Amino acid sequence: MGNLQCIDANHVTVHPQTESVDGWELLLKHAAPNALHNSHARYDAPKCDEDTRVEVTSSGKSALQQTIAEICGRKNILGSSFFFSATDPSRNTVNPVVPTIAYQLGRRSPEVKRLIKAAVEEDPLIFSQSLRDQMATLIVGPFECLGSEGLNLSTVPYAILIDGLDECRGEDSQAGLLTAIRECLLVDHLPFRIFIASRPEWAIRTALAPDGHLYALAYHIQLSDKYDASGDMCRYLLRRFHALTSRTGDPRWFTQRDIDTLVSAASGQFVYVATAFNYISERRGSPAERLKIILTWTPHDRRKARPFEALDILYRNILSTAKNAYEAVDTNGDRDFLLLLRTHHLNISAKHWNWSFPANVLSTVLGLGAGGEEDLISDLCSLLTLEKGDSGDLTLRLYHKSFSDFLQEESRAKALFVPLSRLYTNLKSCCLQKIWERPLDLDSCANTIQERREGAESHFPRDLSNTIHQLPWILLEANHVFGTTGIDQELADFIKKGGWHKLDRSLSALLSEWGIATSRSSFDVFILGLRKLIEFLTSEDAAVVLEFCDKWWRDWVKTPQRTL
């Protein structure tokens, strides 16, 4: 045996073996390569076409950012870019944003890389910390150090481009990133200029509002729906179609009428024509045949072709996000977002019968209360808007005709589709319930009308009278959707329980104020609707309704109308 040595355990010092950390390698593990503007994952990234959107050199936010990134790259001023994508889990959260930006800034400067590498090695857990701390450690710290060493920071690439912030998961995450940018990067001693493109969702709108933290610092360019892009889209398609002529062997494979049809269907949105062209130009298909499919395709045929699948995925993503956000609010817990939205959409798209509500009136009919329509669409501002008329009433307007088509077709909306039968079941029930619950009398009607004359926000008589006015036409349309049994039972119950007597009470109070209280002043249209409705009722119920029709018409003829 060899010699044994006794060691005093009380004086032993243990030195743990630690693996050396390569800060740059650790940074790369937390970055998102797919988010770079020149990533292979974005090989077919949209770019601005020549002569399109001359005012803002673009046809859309992603095309704008891609083109600006390439221009900045050629001018040697591109510091970094990050392109979010809701469908790519590697770049649909804020987690990789700072590491990816830091990587690009370091790749362009050996000195910046050295300092970022050292910062990570000093604190290897930096990537689990807040966005603000990550920015301060990995971006602000290195650049401030270089500035103190005498480097002229104005000479470094300064443009930081972020695209699709709305596609980042979570409103709080979106807001947190904007706050971190405001506090860390938009400071006087740093050279950075941040260019963010996004749909106007909640976090972005809040930051850019007059009382928002970016309002005074940001220059806000809106790719406004009021900009007429029709000419741009025509030029875009004409140029691209000509380029496909060599594949077809026929210079007449498309016509100007074909282009005009596509542009008309786009409703001013480049996303539609871009999606259409991507489908037409698929390498394995015939451009002429695919153009024909798009021009003649309807979701009711049995074709497997889905030329707008990419567009539908985009719509489904936006709509699902808005649904989850709306229904997550405590006061909306028992409300069906899709049912409410589709009812508002039906209100502006139903042309068969003579009914429609101002959007704000429809909200009260549906039980949303004042301003409910604004909450409903707050996360859909990239797809639709509310416009106020001279009367103060609101009208819903969709920017995209393609979105309207999407909502109405189950094959496109899929799990987000709401059938007409469900819409009319709910709408007619809401109308009958409103009439049943709160009948008017002469005194209450006179008081609230007077309040309105004096400028007060008293809308109850107007909402009720609009409901009464639209009721027969809504019931007729429900009958059209369901068949002749669609309205019998519910309306019969309404009649048997005295519903028409309650309606009579309200109408007696409203007749002299009809032109003030309702936006639909033609009383004879209301009576016409009731008379059409009679033919679908039992003889007993029809007799009751006919008796009231005659009474109301006599009262209307002898009642003087007042105006504001």
Side-chain angles (χ1 to χ4, degrees):
M1 292 181 64
N3 294 333
L4 295 176
Q5 292 183 339
C6 294
I7 301 175
D8 184 355
N10 293 325
H11 294 85
V12 173
T13 303
V14 178
H15 297 283
Q17 288 293 106
T18 59
E19 295 183 6
S20 60
V21 174
D22 186 313
W24 191 251
E25 290 299 321
L26 188 56
L27 178 83
L28 294 181
K29 289 180 180 179
H30 288 84
N34 287 359
L36 306 182
H37 82 279
N38 56 356
S39 165
H40 175 72
R42 303 188 68 254
Y43 71 94
D44 194 25
K47 289 188 262 187
C48 302
D49 207 52
E50 288 181 45
D51 302 325
T52 60
R53 288 269 192 173
V54 176
E55 298 160 44
V56 289
T57 191
S58 171
S59 61
K61 64 176 184 61
S62 292
L64 175 64
Q65 287 290 61
Q66 182 67 29
T67 302
I68 295 299
E70 294 179 5
I71 292 173
C72 290
R74 289 194 296 269
K75 293 185 175 182
N76 220 17
I77 61 172
L78 180 63
S80 65
S81 61
F82 192 99
F83 283 71
F84 283 100
S85 173
T87 59
D88 185 342
S90 74
R91 53 190 174 112
N92 66 358
T93 71
V94 295
N95 297 338
V97 172
V98 178
T100 306
I101 292 175
Y103 155 73
Q104 293 171 85
L105 293 171
R107 187 174 64 86
R108 288 169 171 79
S109 166
E111 286 303 304
V112 174
K113 179 178 179 179
R114 174 181 61 82
L115 292 169
I116 292 174
K117 179 177 183 294
V120 175
E121 292 170 357
E122 176 71 20
D123 185 2
L125 298 181
I126 184 62
F127 305 107
S128 64
Q129 298 173 23
S130 69
L131 286 173
R132 189 185 185 287
D133 287 347
Q134 289 185 51
M135 280 190 188
T137 300
L138 301 179
I139 300 175
V140 178
F143 276 88
E144 286 182 337
C145 183
L146 289 176
S148 66
E149 292 176 0
L151 176 67
N152 183 0
L153 295 183
S154 65
T155 64
V156 304
Y158 56 82
I160 298 178
L161 310 184
I162 297 175
D163 180 69
L165 179 56
D166 57 291
E167 297 194 43
C168 171
R169 245 186 9 225
E171 291 178 343
D172 291 342
S173 295
Q174 297 170 16
L177 178 56
L178 292 175
T179 299
I181 289 172
R182 162 68 180 89
E183 294 178 353
C184 296
L185 302 184
L186 299 182
V187 292
D188 291 339
H189 61 282
L190 293 179
F192 303 117
R193 296 295 180 268
I194 319 296
F195 191 0
I196 301 174
S198 174
R199 294 182 186 88
E201 309 302 7
W202 174 84
I204 293 87
R205 296 200 315 274
T206 301
L208 292 173
D211 57 347
H213 62 88
L214 289 180
Y215 179 74
L217 296 173
Y219 179 66
H220 186 195
I221 302 174
Q222 298 188 56
L223 299 186
S224 173
D225 61 288
K226 295 179 181 178
Y227 172 76
D228 185 3
S230 299
D232 288 348
M233 287 188 285
C234 282
R235 287 188 289 272
Y236 168 88
L237 289 174
L238 186 62
R239 184 180 296 108
R240 297 301 176 91
F241 282 3
H242 276 310
L244 294 178
T245 297
S246 60
R247 282 176 51 188
T248 66
D250 179 9
R252 298 181 179 178
W253 71 274
F254 69 93
T255 67
Q256 183 62 46
R257 183 177 180 180
D258 296 336
I259 290 178
D260 292 342
T261 300
L262 290 175
V263 170
S264 176
S267 297
Q269 300 300 320
F270 250 93
V271 64
Y272 183 92
V273 294
T275 301
F277 177 77
N278 286 342
Y279 176 78
I280 292 167
S281 61
E282 270 289 336
R283 295 177 182 175
R284 292 181 176 83
S286 160
E289 286 300 316
R290 287 180 172 249
L291 173 61
K292 184 178 179 181
I293 287 174
I294 283 188
L295 293 174
T296 61
W297 178 82
T298 67
H300 302 296
D301 61 31
R302 296 185 177 274
R303 294 175 182 165
K304 294 182 180 179
R306 291 294 181 265
F308 300 113
E309 183 60 22
L311 188 58
D312 292 346
I313 290 172
L314 172 65
Y315 288 153
R316 288 196 292 269
N317 179 61
I318 295 173
L319 202 56
S320 296
T321 301
K323 175 183 183 297
N324 293 337
Y326 182 82
E327 294 180 355
V329 178
D330 292 344
T331 54
N332 297 335
D334 60 345
R335 292 174 177 169
D336 187 322
F337 172 82
L338 294 173
L339 178 64
L340 296 170
L341 177 68
R342 275 288 283 123
T343 304
H344 271 280
H345 173 245
L346 179 69
N347 182 50
I348 61 172
S349 60
K351 304 298 183 186
H352 187 67
W353 297 101
N354 191 18
W355 73 269
S356 66
F357 293 95
N360 43 305
V361 174
L362 180 58
S363 287
T364 63
V365 173
L366 295 174
L368 296 182
E373 64 285 345
E374 295 178 357
D375 292 336
L376 186 69
I377 71 162
S378 64
D379 290 298
L380 296 173
C381 293
S382 59
L383 299 177
L384 43 82
T385 187
L386 288 166
E387 296 180 339
K388 182 175 287 189
D390 294 339
S391 67
D393 284 328
L394 299 174
T395 300
L396 185 71
R397 183 170 72 84
L398 274 61
Y399 296 141
H400 308 217
K401 180 183 181 295
S402 57
F403 183 54
S404 182
D405 296 339
F406 166 86
L407 290 173
Q408 297 179 79
E409 301 299 342
E410 185 174 9
S411 63
R412 298 183 64 184
K414 297 187 176 178
L416 302 177
F417 176 72
V418 183
L420 273 177
S421 57
R422 188 165 170 233
L423 294 177
Y424 274 104
T425 295
N426 183 65
L427 180 58
K428 66 187 178 69
S429 295
C430 289
C431 290
L432 291 173
Q433 185 71 16
K434 188 171 186 65
I435 292 170
W436 179 268
E437 285 182 344
R438 293 187 65 185
L440 273 176
D441 56 39
L442 287 170
D443 290 339
S444 62
C445 182
N447 290 338
T448 50
I449 292 292
Q450 183 59 37
E451 289 172 3
R452 191 174 182 191
R453 283 196 180 94
E454 296 171 355
E457 292 293 320
S458 180
H459 299 311
F460 175 62
R462 177 209 55 187
D463 297 346
L464 179 60
S465 58
N466 271 274
T467 304
I468 292 171
H469 196 288
Q470 317 306 336
L471 178 64
W473 300 100
I474 290 171
L475 292 172
L476 284 166
E477 182 66 4
N479 182 73
H480 176 74
V481 171
F482 290 108
T484 55
T485 60
I487 61 175
D488 285 354
Q489 189 57 53
E490 188 165 16
L491 188 55
D493 289 344
F494 181 82
I495 294 171
K496 286 181 173 60
K497 292 177 182 179
W500 292 115
H501 292 280
K502 290 199 173 188
L503 190 92
D504 178 53
R505 176 181 166 189
S506 294
L507 270 178
S508 297
L510 283 168
L511 281 181
S512 64
E513 312 284 355
W514 192 264
I516 300 172
T518 181
S519 59
R520 305 292 300 277
S521 59
S522 182
F523 191 77
D524 58 337
V525 173
F526 165 67
I527 296 296
L528 175 64
L530 284 177
R531 293 186 182 278
K532 284 182 175 290
L533 189 64
I534 288 172
E535 61 185 274
F536 298 107
L537 302 177
T538 64
S539 57
E540 181 182 354
D541 292 340
V544 174
V545 175
L546 183 59
E547 182 180 349
F548 275 113
C549 279
D550 293 340
K551 173 185 181 299
W552 291 332
W553 184 252
R554 291 194 303 270
D555 291 346
W556 166 259
V557 170
K558 66 183 181 182
T559 301
Q561 290 292 293
R562 290 185 287 181
T563 59
L564 285 174

